Amino acid sequence: MRLGVIADDFTGATDIASFLVENGMSTVQVTGIPKTDYQVQADAVVVSLKSRSCSAGKAVADSLAALTWLQNQGCTQFYFKYCSTFDSTAQGNIGPVTDALMDALGQQQTILCPALPINGRTVYQGYLFVMGQLLSESGMRHHPVTPMTDSNLLRLMDTQSRGRSGLINSSVMDQGADAVKSHLHSLKDEGIRYVVLDTLNESHLLTQAEAVRDMVLVTGGSGLAIGLARQWMNGVPHHLPATQAGAPQGKLCVVLSGSCSAMTNRQVARYVQQAPARSIDITRCLNEPESYAKALCTWVMENISGPLAPLLYATSAPEVLQSIQQQWGATASSEAVEHLFGTLARSLQQQGVQRFIVAGGETSGIVAQSLGIQAFHIGPAISPGVPWVKSTDHPISLALKSGNFGDENFFARAQTEFAV
């Protein structure tokens, strides 16, 4: 075991696992913190937590427990993986978790690299951009749990952590790995605890990975994994069976969407023109959860034999979401939807559904947990950072999509390009 990843949500975990596999590392993703005696045989293992939007205290406790398990697996480098849009608030959870991991590993410095250029996430002069827009001007400013109203990663980190942040800019990146290493050492001497790395392209990611190859703890989105995997597996043949082991199986499929991101809204709008679709009624979720879930399950099975799978979605535009939250409360409405999707997943599995396409980190987490999945084999990528995965102990395949990932035709492509 070489690399241990602690991911703060389920879709983020599959995102980084996909890049590790594509770049040569055999990878297994585990759901939650495994039992002490649970062993994994792979080059890398990704622990998927649900720590992005819980309390900072719980996020820290879960992350430290994951770290202990990864250390027992023999990992020598650790990667705290968060969203490429740096989803966090002034209270955390990125800062507190990073500090806790640094303390546990005895580290005085780490890096912040949320960038994923292939999906339009870049960093310039310490500012995070999404598809050419500043983070604070993107759809993330309307996020219901972690609204991102600042784009400066140094400020964002300093407000929620114990140390100071510094920057290595793109001109240094263009000079190569040795220049980056030199600047890291200089910033460390100045007492800089967290170093933001400018990233404009994949070449910068490869440079960064070479520079931090021996750093015990790194933090970021999934992009840095491209270069780190290549560093670890330099000269080692690619593990093609790892991708094949995660290839999707089963014919009966359903699409469940709980994300309210801008891209998921477009994906849902496209898909409702192609396949049977039904919007989730929050009132019925709250007032008659069991009977409503049963009715939706019946509807899915009545519409599952067509060329494209039926869609159930709680996805809505920002103004609609705001109205729902004002009427029912943000926590109550989101928990009701999560409970509904979890109940539905179990019921549909009992009806023979083996393929689940799920949009949204929180929704993906509850679906995976409800299906009793302990670990995944990582399969072929549908879009960058979104692979098919297959349970190691159940005949179930899932596509777990982070809210803003994928193209507008993602839901249909996931089925037509990977038909059994």
Side-chain angles (χ1 to χ4, degrees), residues 293-311:
K294 184 176 180 179
L296 290 176
C297 181
T298 299
W299 177 85
V300 169
M301 298 310 298
E302 290 173 347
N303 290 275
I304 206 165
S305 59
L308 289 175
L311 161 70

Side-chain angles (χ1 to χ4, degrees), residues 144-208:
V145 180
T146 54
M148 303 306 296
T149 57
D150 192 356
S151 306
N152 186 291
L153 292 169
L154 286 78
R155 282 198 301 263
L156 286 168
M157 190 63 175
D158 285 351
T159 60
Q160 57 181 283
S161 62
R162 298 201 309 264
R164 289 189 297 134
S165 300
L167 171 68
I168 296 180
N169 63 30
S170 59
S171 64
V172 176
M173 290 297 159
D174 291 336
Q175 296 172 38
D178 288 341
V180 174
K181 285 182 182 179
S182 176
H183 277 72
L184 283 169
H185 288 307
S186 296
L187 290 170
K188 188 175 183 179
D189 291 340
E190 296 173 20
I192 297 299
R193 188 168 166 88
Y194 328 100
V195 182
V196 175
L197 304 179
D198 268 7
T199 313
L200 301 179
N201 48 55
E202 186 171 300
S203 177
H204 285 166
L205 291 175
L206 301 182
T207 295
Q208 293 162 11

Side-chain angles (χ1 to χ4, degrees), residues 151-380:
S151 306
N152 186 291
L153 292 169
L154 286 78
R155 282 198 301 263
L156 286 168
M157 190 63 175
D158 285 351
T159 60
Q160 57 181 283
S161 62
R162 298 201 309 264
R164 289 189 297 134
S165 300
L167 171 68
I168 296 180
N169 63 30
S170 59
S171 64
V172 176
M173 290 297 159
D174 291 336
Q175 296 172 38
D178 288 341
V180 174
K181 285 182 182 179
S182 176
H183 277 72
L184 283 169
H185 288 307
S186 296
L187 290 170
K188 188 175 183 179
D189 291 340
E190 296 173 20
I192 297 299
R193 188 168 166 88
Y194 328 100
V195 182
V196 175
L197 304 179
D198 268 7
T199 313
L200 301 179
N201 48 55
E202 186 171 300
S203 177
H204 285 166
L205 291 175
L206 301 182
T207 295
Q208 293 162 11
E210 183 179 351
V212 303
R213 168 65 176 77
D214 298 321
M215 186 174 279
V216 174
L217 173 69
V218 298
T219 86
S222 60
L224 184 63
I226 298 170
L228 277 181
R230 295 182 190 180
Q231 288 292 315
W232 275 113
M233 305 308 292
N234 186 25
V236 178
H238 279 214
H239 293 262
L240 294 178
T243 300
Q244 295 168 356
Q249 64 178 45
K251 292 185 177 181
L252 295 184
C253 179
V254 66
V255 184
L256 305 174
S257 179
S259 169
C260 291
S261 71
M263 177 52 77
T264 303
N265 268 282
R266 294 202 294 272
Q267 289 162 341
V268 167
R270 174 74 173 270
Y271 196 71
V272 297
Q273 300 173 11
Q274 301 169 298
R278 192 161 175 176
S279 174
I280 300 299
D281 185 333
I282 301 297
T283 302
R284 295 188 68 182
C285 269
L286 289 160
N287 295 334
E288 45 178 302
E290 302 307 320
S291 61
Y292 186 42
K294 184 176 180 179
L296 290 176
C297 181
T298 299
W299 177 85
V300 169
M301 298 310 298
E302 290 173 347
N303 290 275
I304 206 165
S305 59
L308 289 175
L311 161 70
L312 292 172
Y313 63 97
T315 302
S316 56
E319 60 274 11
V320 176
L321 178 63
Q322 185 177 24
S323 176
I324 291 171
Q325 292 178 338
Q326 288 175 346
Q327 182 177 3
W328 300 108
T331 300
S333 56
S334 62
E335 288 181 351
V337 171
E338 284 188 24
H339 177 76
L340 176 72
F341 279 130
T343 302
L344 272 170
R346 288 190 297 271
S347 299
L348 291 169
Q349 180 189 17
Q350 293 169 2
Q351 295 292 322
V353 177
Q354 291 182 291
R355 285 197 189 198
F356 294 81
I357 300 171
V358 190
E362 299 296 318
T363 308
S364 295
I366 195 67
V367 167
Q369 289 175 335
S370 298
L371 293 173
I373 295 174
Q374 298 293 312
F376 308 131
H377 293 296
I378 308 302

